[in-house]
Amino acid sequence: MSMNTDKAYLLGLIIGGGIFGDAEDIFRIRLPFKKWGSYLENSQRAGQISRDIMNVVSPMFRNIYNLIVSFEATENIWNILCEGDTTALKTDLENYGIPCDGEVRANADISKICVDLVDDNLKRRFIAGLADSIGSMAKSQRRFTDDNQILSLEIKGHNFNFVCELCRLLHDINCIPDQVNWNHPNIHCTNDPYYRTWNKQFKLRILLDQYARFGAFAFRTKAESSNENRELQQQTHVAQPCPEQRMNVTPSCVHPDENNMLLPEQIRGGHYIHYRHFCAVLGCEHAPFDKVSSQFSRLGELVIPFVIQCKDTISRINTIIANDPLLAQRNYTDVSVSVSSLLTQFQSDSNGLLYGTDSDNGYPINEILQTTAYIVADSNELFGKRPKGYIEIIKRHIQNDPNLSVLFRKPDLLTPLVIVGNERGALIGAVNPKVYEKLITRSPDNDFKLIVRPITEEDLRDA
Amino acid sequence: MRNEKSYYTEIKKFIESQLKSNFTASNKRELYVFWGIGELKKELQRIINENPAKCSCATKFAERVPPLSLDIFALITDGAKFELLILEVKLVRSAGLSEWSQLVGYCLVSGAKYGLLVNIDNGGSPRLTQMLHTERHISNIQTTVNDTPREHLLGFMQWNSYTHNFEYSNLGSVKSLSELSNKLASDFSSKKLANP
């Protein structure tokens, strides 16, 4: 059966949330609505979601695939249950190269479907299915303030090509994504290689104004949320084409899970300096290749082979040091450092470097001050491990005790500086561009893919 | 307070885009949809005069069709064949047999093969729903006019004015826009004359 607008919508729903189990005559579409769809949080919305399923999805499934739809709702997840002879649907999916096994989006290659989405309307219907299933407009999705409302397509797994294809499809209908948070340690753990829970999900984020103008929802609940969120904005926003968007690149640390086998070969083993760097490596025609290349001249500043900043208990910090031979084999000199002197140095030059061997290396004072705030803070001044306003915390504590000091453990080479106090500890990586740039090479099969070899004691001694 | 006419534009736009997309996807060529509002005969003449290259196939039909006042209709053509789609758009709490009868009458008198009863933001009455479920002949009507067999296929759908989407009722012989598209694709690819 050929593609049509209703089938495009259903395929979007299935690829967004479809899960196939062993049973031949049933599958489900999981809608990960979390709090947004919880009947405990908003019973009116939950009621409308059930109407959307029965009024929009059910008749379409009945008509296109002769399947009977029902649903079940737990506190955080809705499941659309599709029962009947699934042969026609599975045949369609298999013809499109979509395996009907487990979570569809985990392994889906939508390139064959995209070929059949021959015009913008079909593309829009397919995307509407995805947006209804995995499009989140929860408050946490906004960018900084209520004035930048976002629709985030949330995709589990490690299917980078799927996200890239989807991004292309969104471009085709002028829903230019605002940002792509790739499911990769360089995106989810830019500062701390010891933070291992990088494996979250992809987030394809689109300005809600842009989506409202060019995209679509079939669920009334989604359309209502879109309108409610857009009303919070003071102005309307227009997305810029990818090559024209600003690319602000900040240093990121090398993470051991860059080599994780969960990552596809095309991505695995590479270090990525910005989310748009992934677009270039994946060969997306919308990638800002020139802007990515221009950053390659300062890779020594951008790629840090150590931790940038790690805050934890002193025992955890000691364990980290003990487990890394390069850190464990250092000679450390203990220095008691006055917190007020650190603040003075920060105020005179917030980009300053301490304890370097050269003018362009050393430990960044701004990182030191942030972690010092963590060390000296009272528990109620922390949000997890994050100080609530680090400058204010420092000033408050100096006011209470002008002689306040913290203990620095300075290594004999420019491996991470250790700061301890108050049963807490922190590691601060050094800036050392001349040494770091020697560790970086380009992949022989992809000129945009950066390979970073591990740093050695010799690298640091030879500097 | 909006009246039903104020919804015509969005409904027309949606139907047209779905039909065109589906036809392009299945037949790999273009479909043309021309809309008329009000009196059928005059509007058909206007459409043909404005688009002779694509609509001349409907000339004879337009000459013999009786004057008839309609909400909206569409002349759907691939340039060689055409079909007529009549929309009966309602803004009522519950569309019932009288609204269905109106659509049936318009289709029989005009000879239109396709008819859709569209209720805005509401569904059908229990009586209509039950009849459309059980009495297939009231949505798939076969007649013979001047020894020529005619077929009329009718459906009932709900327009969601908030999402700008159709919510299908699965009632009648045209259960969805994709089904309507399939039928049109079949009409226009078959060798026999599609239109009356």
Side-chain angles (χ1 to χ4, degrees), chain A residues 121-190:
Chain A
N121 187 44
L122 283 159
K123 289 172 187 170
R124 196 171 288 117
R125 297 291 293 164
F126 177 75
I127 289 166
L130 281 168
D132 281 346
S133 56
I134 54 167
S136 169
M137 286 170 283
K139 276 187 178 174
S140 56
Q141 304 297 352
R142 64 186 196 171
R143 174 148 54 81
F144 307 126
T145 66
D146 279 344
D147 205 32
N148 288 280
Q149 295 292 337
I150 296 281
L151 168 74
S152 176
L153 298 176
E154 318 245 302
I155 302 149
K156 276 187 180 173
H158 308 91
N159 195 343
F160 282 68
N161 277 320
F162 170 65
V163 176
C164 196
E165 287 278 2
L166 185 54
C167 198
R168 282 196 181 103
L169 208 55
L170 286 161
H171 265 91
D172 287 350
I173 61 163
N174 213 6
C175 283
I176 302 162
D178 181 58
Q179 192 183 33
V180 187
N181 284 344
W182 300 94
N183 192 13
H184 190 277
N186 295 154
I187 297 294
H188 294 307
C189 310
T190 52

Side-chain angles (χ1 to χ4, degrees), chain A residues 333-388:
Chain A
T333 309
D334 287 359
V335 187
S336 178
V337 179
S338 143
V339 176
S340 64
S341 73
L342 291 174
L343 181 62
T344 307
Q345 288 180 74
F346 175 78
Q347 285 168 334
S348 67
D349 179 9
S350 61
N351 294 318
L353 300 172
L354 298 189
Y355 310 129
T357 57
D358 202 342
S359 61
D360 64 353
N361 67 19
Y363 302 100
I365 183 70
N366 59 344
E367 303 286 352
I368 288 175
L369 209 68
Q370 284 177 45
T371 48
T372 300
Y374 165 73
I375 299 287
V376 302
D378 298 330
S379 311
N380 62 3
E381 291 173 312
L382 295 176
F383 189 79
K385 291 176 193 166
R386 190 156 50 87
K388 297 174 189 169

